[in-house]
Amino acid sequence: MRYLPHTNEDVAEMLQVVGAANLDDLFSSIPENCRFKGELNLPSDMTEWALTDHMATLADRMACSPEYRVFVGAGSYRHYIPASVPYLLSRSEFSTAYTPYQPEISQGTLQAIFEYQTLTARLLGMEVANASMYDGASALAEALLMAIRIERGKKTGIALSTLIHPHYRQVVRTYFEPTGYKIVELPCLPDGSTDLSAVDEIENLAAIALQSPNFFGCIEKIKAASDKAHALNALSVVCFTEPMAYGLFKNPGSQGADIVCGEGQSLGIPQSFGGPGLGMFASLNKYVRNMPGRLVGKTTDRDGKRGFVLTLATREQHIRRERATSNICSNQGLCATMSTMYMASVGGTGMRELARLNRDKAEYLKSELKKAGFRIPFERPGFNEFVVEFPKGFESTYQKLVGKKIVAGIPIECHYPELTDHYLLCATETHSKADMDTLVKEVTS
Amino acid sequence: MTESPGTTGLIMNEPLLWEKSRQGRCGISIPESDVETTPLDAEFAGEGPDFPDLSEVDVVRHFTRLSQWNFGVDTGMYPLGSCTMKYNPKIHEKIAALPGFAGAHPMLPPDLAQGTLRIMYELERFLCEITGMDATTLQPAAGAHGELTAMLLFYAYHKSKGEKRTRILIPDTAHGTNPASAALCGYAPVPVTSGDDGVLSVEAVEALMDEETAGIMVTNPNTLGLFEQNIRKVAEVVHRKGGLVYGDGANMNAVMGIVKMGEIGIDAIHLNLHKTFSTPHGGGGPGAGPVCVRKHLEPFLPVPRVTKNGDAYALQYNRPDSIGKIHAFHGNFGILIRAYSYILSMGRHLKTASQHAVLSANYIKERLKDVLHLPYDRPCMHECVFTDKNQEDFKITTLDMAKRLMDYGFHPPTIYFPLVVHGAIMIEPTETEPKENLDQFIETFKIIIKEAVETPELLREAPTAPKVRRLDEATAARKPCLCG
């Protein structure tokens, strides 16, 4: 087997040193009644080329660009990734390293993460960011638990906008189920933003959480929500699925957010059927000791040279075990590095231009659909996605379009039962005017 | 001994990204717009992020230089105990990058996603076969995320029986994240002390197990690298009081094809795919931590579940007892695909991998036990644990020896873990390290131990070969500088 270097001679020599007669003897400490006697029922081992053929066949059963024109966002976005990014990331010194427990020989990972933390904080307008979390949904759940921790558990109510990605809200509910903390969902206003009027009624409010741009693609009133949260002595938590929007729109930090979190897949990471992505997480400095996840800090070595280390580990399981505030001991290190490469490649100037392009494309598609007679129910400004109401029975047209290799967004009725025939569509810099014109032509024909 | 792999090359210097920015540079092509611009109200318009502006060559050189300051499995032996740093097959990277997988949207209608759904379905079956369990969820994104998922399943199971249990037993040889994962579900972690032989005794569990206790979290093989010999009886004690047994499967690399966890009383187990099934660790992630369960926990698994009807795969959401979702989409699919490829490449050799991993660890244990103190002199599984007790007289610590290993071109083992062993040195060679490298590692360790007596300052000054020397971690924690 190509990954197993021990020859029969090696095995024989090593067994002799160990004092075992054969390989089975090595497991003598496992009681007989715990040992599996049969053979694993798995397919027989494949050669590299057989595996490649098998996987290529499976990959061909997927609807992907450029063959398909997919107008779907909803938390996973297609952006152009420059060739330099995956090329650099494939350097095995990055990809085959472990968590940087030995900083002297992990400065590559550590400096890249320090740079990631810095760029993340700048993008979100926050003071400090961690070294990344699993994904946007779990980052939101952790942010809300952190808000409760900051108030030392005295405040246990959470106001959660229904315009937060439905999957994120499901994850939050899963995390919260055994805790007894209370979640109140805030309804939607006709303009596509969150109705904050019920917030005053919530007892022991620890945080108000919004998503911006929200699931309908609309920009939220973050400032109003933050002011309201602070007036009630609660925290303002803002989450996002599309960080590129902050290349153009005001960032959450400038509007009073205390904790900001979300999904960073847009920043140079392939969609990969939804993972791995990148849970981004940032807050104000004063809350850093309540923050979950790993952090990288700057320091010096014995010669006074600049270097980086994992730090503030006292919050973690290593030191406190029974009293640890977080069980997170990994991050999305490679994805965070990938997004750093991407953010560095795009730069401040490029980020703005790219964000502008995303908005313009989506606005074009929106206006063309509107011109074609379809209703755009939520009129608030958006970034690169929006909701459109198609005529009753649009489902068959949708299927017909799939036959023509066009995926015309996703229906949202399963998450918002009142919104029958409403679809969420997305356009990014990867969708050409011609692609969008084809879509409009096909839905009207 | 042949020449040390730690012979260094040229180390290039490199500033922080923003120290080399020149406004107006850009490292990517931004297409010309083919649509009109839509004005944006000043109420919403921001200033754009304060990112550095760099050209493509600036970025490429920056990260190439950074990469050269790192040690990875492809660089050399990485015997980090309990982390299973085995070789990562290169074909996996090519497969994960196939446009059909890398470019797949997670919310595609199932008809348009048959390839990924089939992989998920089959991977679930493979993991069930390897663990001897009945059903698997692939959603958890890391080992600790899998622990949390399993605890949520325990909670849901007890709730379905109308019970609310408050405590969970956690042996002192369990993984460090177990207590925090239990605490996230509101369980009070109750420590269980292992016996003098380094494994759990039935009596210790019996004394603590009651009807208030949700179950036990057993790392098996445990963090001393020992198989929990009494696991069947321990499981019986826990089950008798209505509790459940969780197996932390992070150390599964030792027992593939040798022990089926579902047959020895485990109700739920998580697997670290990135460890046992050889996906690159990426400087700390991404990983994947699927949870395999016995039949009675299946109704509670996260949604959606992948189902198969004839040749067609679908996603099932309508499962009333499910705990819900634990990941926004389907988990870290890009990692799942590598693990799936690994299992298909290995087939029946999975068992050989475990056998060789255990052989290598025992080989190192035998050959180093004359010079390093071995607290538990028993056949070990895939890792062995020493201490620095023999070096105490020379005022040399585990840390000093670890740092000196770097100068010779080895990544140090895991140090000061498990916590139950004072000054622990935990070595896990894995099955992919050739015997010559094991021998060279052993010889190097012996030289270092000799240096500890004759020239201890070499150890206290170590490392000297890497880009930086020992870093001031105390100041980094006291006055955190987390942002540039």
Side-chain angles (χ1 to χ4, degrees), chain A residues 339-353:
Chain A
S339 77
T340 311
M341 292 166 177
Y342 180 83
M343 289 189 272
S345 299
V346 179
T349 311
M351 193 73 178
R352 213 174 156 71
E353 278 182 53

Side-chain angles (χ1 to χ4, degrees), chain A residues 210-334:
Chain A
L210 299 185
Q211 176 183 318
S212 187
N214 63 30
F215 189 69
F216 294 166
C218 301
I219 300 299
E220 281 283 3
K221 293 171 242 171
I222 304 176
K223 181 79 170 60
S226 300
D227 289 348
K228 195 141 206 176
H230 296 151
L232 295 167
N233 201 18
L235 297 181
S236 164
V237 175
V238 175
C239 94
F240 56 87
T241 59
E242 181 43 295
M244 197 178 276
Y246 304 134
L248 190 60
F249 290 89
K250 280 180 183 159
N251 61 44
S254 65
Q255 297 171 85
D258 299 292
I259 305 173
V260 184
C261 59
E263 175 58 56
Q265 174 270 326
S266 270
L267 305 173
I269 301 168
Q271 291 176 279
S272 286
F273 206 50
L278 173 67
M280 302 178 87
F281 197 106
S283 81
L284 300 179
N285 241 335
K286 59 181 169 183
Y287 301 129
V288 71
R289 282 170 204 274
N290 282 299
M291 195 187 247
R294 294 282 159 103
L295 292 163
V296 170
K298 189 169 85 166
T299 188
T300 50
D301 79 350
R302 273 192 192 172
D303 297 331
K305 267 200 248 174
R306 176 167 74 190
F308 301 90
V309 292
L310 284 176
T311 193
L312 297 184
T314 44
R315 306 159 303 137
E316 294 180 14
Q317 78 283 354
H318 292 282
I319 316 268
R320 317 202 321 168
R321 233 169 127 95
E322 270 73 41
R323 291 188 296 144
T325 50
S326 158
N327 75 331
I328 290 180
C329 75
S330 67
N331 57 351
Q332 299 286 103
L334 204 61

Side-chain angles (χ1 to χ4, degrees), chain A residues 140 144 158-162 164 169 172 183-186 207 209:
Chain A
L140 175 61
L144 298 176
I158 297 286
L160 201 62
S161 162
T162 47
I164 290 176
R169 282 182 285 129
V172 169
I183 299 169
V184 177
E185 293 213 341
L186 305 174

Side-chain angles (χ1 to χ4, degrees), chain B residues 15 36 44 50 59 89 160 162 210 238 280 283-284 313 341 344 378 455 473:
Chain B
E36 271 178 31
F44 304 104
D50 176 22
V59 175
S160 76
D210 59 20
V238 173
Y313 299 88
S341 300
L344 286 182
R378 298 181 42 205
T455 47
E473 302 195 33

Side-chain angles (χ1 to χ4, degrees), chain B residues 402-415:
Chain B
K403 298 296 183 195
R404 184 64 177 152
L405 271 170
M406 294 179 191
D407 285 336
Y408 285 101
F410 292 99
H411 193 284
T414 293
I415 55 174

Side-chain angles (χ1 to χ4, degrees), chain B residues 82 130 154 160 170 211 231 238 267 290 300 318 350 359 448 480 484:
Chain B
S82 256
I130 292 163
F154 278 23
S160 76
I170 302 181
E211 264 98 16
I231 186 68
V238 173
D267 299 291
F300 308 104
N318 185 18
L350 281 178
L359 177 63
I448 291 171

Side-chain angles (χ1 to χ4, degrees), chain A residues 37-286:
Chain A
K37 303 292 180 341
E39 284 277 321
L40 287 176
N41 180 20
L42 294 171
S44 51
D45 47 309
M46 278 177 147
T47 59
E48 190 167 308
W49 54 94
L51 177 69
T52 306
D53 285 351
H54 173 62
M55 297 307 273
T57 310
L58 295 181
D60 284 345
R61 292 190 195 151
M62 302 300 297
C64 290
S65 297
E67 203 191 342
Y68 277 79
R69 277 169 278 203
V70 181
F71 292 91
V72 185
S76 175
Y77 302 91
R78 180 164 179 254
H79 292 293
Y80 184 72
I81 302 172
S84 54
V85 170
Y87 179 86
L88 286 169
L89 197 81
S90 72
R91 288 196 65 99
S92 66
E93 299 92 332
F94 285 127
S95 65
T96 72
Y98 197 64
T99 307
Y101 290 131
Q102 298 289 347
E104 295 85 356
I105 49 174
S106 312
Q107 285 299 302
T109 292
L110 287 161
Q111 181 167 330
I113 299 285
F114 183 78
E115 291 173 343
Y116 163 78
Q117 289 176 182
T118 305
L119 297 186
T120 298
R122 290 184 189 187
L123 179 66
L124 305 177
M126 301 305 285
E127 290 170 343
V128 55
N130 73 11
S132 79
M133 317 276 284
Y134 308 136
D135 73 343
S138 55
L140 175 61
E142 291 279 358
L144 298 176
L145 290 173
M146 173 174 158
I148 287 166
R149 240 176 2 247
I150 287 170
E151 298 292 340
R152 293 169 198 278
K154 282 181 205 133
K155 298 187 153 209
T156 53
I158 297 286
L160 201 62
S161 162
T162 47
L163 299 178
I164 290 176
H165 196 298
H167 292 175
Y168 288 27
R169 282 182 285 129
Q170 268 185 295
V171 171
V172 169
R173 281 197 291 271
T174 304
Y175 270 73
F176 271 52
E177 165 65 20
T179 63
Y181 306 146
K182 195 168 175 228
I183 299 169
V184 177
E185 293 213 341
L186 305 174
C188 173
L189 290 169
D191 71 345
S193 71
T194 304
D195 181 355
L196 294 164
S197 59
V199 164
D200 303 278
E201 311 301 317
I202 302 170
E203 274 176 51
N204 292 321
L205 185 72
I208 300 177
L210 299 185
Q211 176 183 318
S212 187
N214 63 30
F215 189 69
F216 294 166
C218 301
I219 300 299
E220 281 283 3
K221 293 171 242 171
I222 304 176
K223 181 79 170 60
S226 300
D227 289 348
K228 195 141 206 176
H230 296 151
L232 295 167
N233 201 18
L235 297 181
S236 164
V237 175
V238 175
C239 94
F240 56 87
T241 59
E242 181 43 295
M244 197 178 276
Y246 304 134
L248 190 60
F249 290 89
K250 280 180 183 159
N251 61 44
S254 65
Q255 297 171 85
D258 299 292
I259 305 173
V260 184
C261 59
E263 175 58 56
Q265 174 270 326
S266 270
L267 305 173
I269 301 168
Q271 291 176 279
S272 286
F273 206 50
L278 173 67
M280 302 178 87
F281 197 106
S283 81
L284 300 179
N285 241 335
K286 59 181 169 183

